Amino acid sequence: MERTFTNTARRAQIVRAAVETIAELGYAKASFARITERAGFSSPRMISYHFTDKDELIHEIVREVMAEAARFVVGRMEGEQTASGKLRAYLEANLRYLRDHPREMAALTEIGPHLRDGAGEPYTSQSAQEPSVRGLEELLTEGQRSGDFRDFDPRSMAVLIRGAVEAAAQRLRGGAHGLDLDAYTRELVTSVGLATRRSESPTSGRDVL
């Protein structure tokens, strides 16, 4: 058990050092030697013991970052009882995570063009977004059944909402260019609320969702 705990902790240490190295230097320059230096190890063999190559390491980074983000978002949604409340929490949590984890977002941006699936094919933005789109589609459908949301095409609305979150992520990865994320969050919550609410629902600000 102690060995398993130590191995898990060491892998997490390597992933963290790799995220910081890729975010700072870029994917191409993030060699095992550079990551070793960042992690404070004596030799790259410490990394090779846990990861056979850079490809395995970057897949682990993606899994870890996405899992952490999912836990953060789901944790915020679980406190809500209605579909509209869950949707608001989803939007706010996604944008909060983007704001609070700039290194992870920078690392994913660098990794993206180099990521391959099991067949060796590159991931596309559509394939990367698909799990989130499906989850949103289910939530929107649930809200229509409960009467929270008006009648619309859940798939199209899910793609639209996810696209708005990804747009903020791209802005932040590029240095934000003057984007006020708090204002963006408020406007997105209001806009999605107006787009999904039933006609008899409240129309004022945050109460829309």
Side-chain angles (χ1 to χ4, degrees):
M1 183 176 294
E2 178 63 27
R3 183 176 181 181
T4 299
F5 176 82
T6 301
N7 286 349
T8 300
R10 184 57 53 82
R11 285 174 67 90
Q13 183 181 2
I14 293 168
V15 167
R16 169 51 50 189
V19 165
E20 294 177 354
T21 303
I22 294 171
E24 180 179 333
L25 303 178
Y27 178 88
K29 294 182 179 179
S31 63
F32 271 17
R34 291 281 195 172
I35 297 170
T36 296
E37 182 180 351
R38 173 78 63 167
F41 297 156
S42 59
S43 168
R45 288 196 298 271
M46 295 290 290
I47 299 176
S48 300
Y49 176 80
H50 295 277
F51 299 97
T52 56
D53 53 26
K54 189 174 181 178
D55 187 60
E56 183 183 359
L57 176 55
I58 66 169
H59 275 84
E60 183 67 13
I61 290 171
V62 173
R63 281 192 293 269
E64 286 292 326
V65 172
M66 298 305 291
E68 181 185 15
R71 287 191 295 270
F72 182 83
V73 173
V74 171
R76 291 341 185 244
M77 294 174 67
E78 285 178 341
E80 300 293 337
Q81 300 301 314
T82 64
S84 58
K86 290 177 182 179
L87 182 55
R88 183 184 65 244
Y90 172 89
L91 293 168
E92 292 175 342
N94 266 276
L95 295 172
R96 176 69 179 272
Y97 188 86
L98 292 177
R99 185 188 69 186
D100 293 348
H101 296 81
R103 286 186 175 272
E104 286 83 350
M105 295 303 102
L108 289 184
T109 299
E110 285 290 325
I111 288 171
H114 306 277
L115 201 60
R116 298 291 183 272
D117 61 21
E121 295 296 323
Y123 280 96
T124 65
S125 58
Q126 290 82 2
S127 62
Q129 292 179 22
E130 185 58 24
S132 295
V133 168
R134 288 183 180 177
L136 273 171
E137 187 177 359
E138 291 176 4
L139 175 58
L140 294 169
T141 301
E142 172 192 330
Q144 289 176 327
R145 289 171 180 162
S146 67
D148 271 16
F149 300 144
R150 67 174 178 82
D151 184 31
F152 53 77
D153 179 58
R155 173 73 180 181
S156 297
M157 187 65 74
V159 171
L160 186 154
I161 293 171
R162 190 62 212 175
V165 173
E166 291 296 325
Q170 291 172 8
R171 284 277 183 171
L172 291 175
R173 292 166 190 167
H177 298 293
L179 179 66
D180 182 336
L181 194 60
D182 289 334
Y184 187 92
T185 301
R186 290 193 299 271
E187 295 299 337
L188 182 57
V189 167
T190 299
S191 298
V192 171
L194 291 170
T196 57
R197 70 178 175 85
R198 293 174 61 87
S199 59
E200 64 270 22
S201 297
T203 58
S204 59
R206 182 183 173 88
D207 291 334
V208 168
L209 270 177

